[in-house]
Amino acid sequence: MEQNLSGTDASTNEVAPPRRVVVTGAFGNVGAAVVTALIDRGVEVRAAERHPGRVAERFPGIEAVRLDFEDPTTFAAAAADADAVFLIRPPAIARVGPTINRFVDSLAQTSVEHVVFSSVAGADTNKVVPHHRIEQHLLASGLAWTLLRPGFFSQNIGGPYRDDVVVDDRLYVPAARGRVAFVDARDLGEAAAIALCDPSYRGRALHLTGPVAVTFDDVAVMLSNALERTIRYEPASVLGYLRHRRRRGDPLVQCVVQTVLHVGLRRGDAEEVTDVLAEVLDRPPRSVREYLADHRDLFVASEHSSN
């Protein structure tokens, strides 16, 4: 599913590809994939991170600057002399008005013309998630924009779900029997780079999914086959999952947002499969099975460490 909310056909505009792109969250799964894809396209990248040193170590040779959404004094230098921004919300930030939206406002004083925002599926109507408020603010900002609305990431299996798999041989989420069209963050990163470089994507909201919708029972079977040990799916209750995330040390607001998103899987919020990502990439998106094959070592018990 795709929306064009701009009222114009951006493909008719003569817009030069970006010379320099600021990538926020460049150390995360999605941000790092965006950096890699832009470098492959010969675009100059500035990685904007709260801890730029770790980005510089991961991507030697690219510019890395400090950007802290809670510190407006870092905004100007992060966006200076750039043409476009890839924007992603850090999970710990729920109060987006004085942080991310304030950063968007600051871009009006810079050379930035285009923002590609990594949102979530359903953010246009789900007012509970912080992404909704960022989307609405961006649409009213006067900047050119592209909204990427992916579903759940395959990388969640090797990220937030990993400890449960490694320690307890289980997947534990409050999704009941809901189906999920998992999308690979590597594919989203490539799609973001394409949207940043191709002006025809301006003013468009793209619902991006993986190639097939699966249940968590299906994922447990795939994990069992990949790891050659039995992994079970244990459906969590809403309160049980909230307590589980809190015991792991996650901030309360982050726990609530993640619980709401997972409960939405019960009613099919992430089961729709679209062809949009395949059309953007001009190839089939990666499947959950491919992700697990590529990252099997993440789930070896001897390598367990807390996230």
Side-chain angles (χ1 to χ4, degrees):
M1 181 184 300
E2 177 186 333
Q3 293 173 282
N4 187 324
L5 307 177
S6 65
T8 62
D9 181 0
S11 64
T12 64
N13 297 332
E14 294 295 330
V15 180
R19 177 178 51 84
R20 178 182 292 121
V21 174
V22 176
V23 178
T24 70
F27 194 74
N29 289 321
V30 176
V34 176
V35 170
T36 299
L38 286 171
I39 291 173
D40 289 345
R41 285 163 173 75
V43 177
E44 183 178 343
V45 176
R46 175 185 294 148
E49 257 277 353
R50 191 169 186 175
H51 304 289
R54 62 183 186 175
V55 180
E57 291 179 4
R58 186 170 185 175
F59 297 103
I62 73 166
E63 182 185 6
V65 299
R66 182 171 178 264
L67 173 63
D68 183 347
F69 288 120
E70 296 180 314
D71 181 1
T73 65
T74 66
F75 293 175
D81 198 28
D83 304 307
V85 170
F86 172 77
L87 180 64
I88 191 167
R89 180 190 72 91
I93 291 184
R95 295 182 65 244
V96 299
T99 55
I100 296 174
N101 286 350
R102 187 172 180 179
F103 173 70
V104 170
D105 291 340
S106 75
L107 297 178
Q109 310 302 318
T110 72
S111 56
V112 171
E113 297 179 353
H114 182 208
V115 176
V116 173
F117 174 48
S118 180
S119 187
V120 294
D124 51 332
T125 57
N126 186 352
K127 297 182 180 180
V128 176
V129 295
H131 308 76
H132 175 82
R133 298 188 292 281
I134 299 172
E135 284 196 7
Q136 295 302 306
H137 197 77
L138 186 56
L139 265 60
S141 69
L143 295 162
W145 50 264
T146 306
L147 304 178
L148 306 181
R149 294 178 180 147
F152 272 66
F153 290 116
S154 296
Q155 279 73 10
N156 286 341
I157 304 170
Y161 308 157
R162 175 180 175 270
D163 282 1
D164 292 323
V165 173
V166 172
V167 176
D168 297 322
D169 288 333
R170 70 172 181 172
L171 290 167
Y172 183 69
V173 291
R177 303 302 170 190
R179 304 179 72 84
V180 182
F182 284 100
V183 62
D184 197 298
R186 294 170 293 180
D187 288 339
L188 180 63
E190 186 176 342
I194 291 170
L196 285 159
C197 295
D198 184 344
S200 71
Y201 287 99
R202 296 188 179 197
R204 294 164 68 178
L206 308 177
H207 181 191
L208 307 176
T209 78
V212 63
V214 297
T215 66
F216 279 91
D217 286 305
D218 296 330
V219 176
V221 171
M222 294 181 208
L223 274 166
S224 299
N225 292 336
L227 302 178
E228 299 180 342
R229 70 179 196 268
T230 300
I231 307 297
R232 70 190 188 281
Y233 169 46
E234 182 179 334
S237 68
V238 174
L239 291 178
Y241 188 67
L242 189 59
R243 286 194 292 263
H244 181 62
R245 295 290 298 250
R246 287 293 285 160
R247 282 196 296 267
R248 285 178 41 177
D250 295 337
L252 178 59
V253 174
Q254 181 179 341
C255 292
V256 171
V257 170
Q258 288 301 313
T259 300
V260 168
L261 289 172
H262 280 86
V263 170
L265 303 180
R266 299 179 177 184
R267 57 178 181 266
D269 283 2
E271 70 180 4
E272 181 182 3
V273 176
T274 75
D275 295 327
V276 177
L277 184 55
E279 292 168 358
V280 174
L281 300 177
D282 196 28
R283 62 168 174 80
R286 295 175 174 91
S287 67
V288 177
R289 195 181 304 275
E290 288 176 275
Y291 168 78
L292 294 176
D294 292 342
H295 298 86
R296 182 184 180 280
D297 289 349
L298 285 175
F299 305 98
V300 176
S302 62
E303 295 182 0
H304 168 65
S305 62
S306 297
N307 286 338

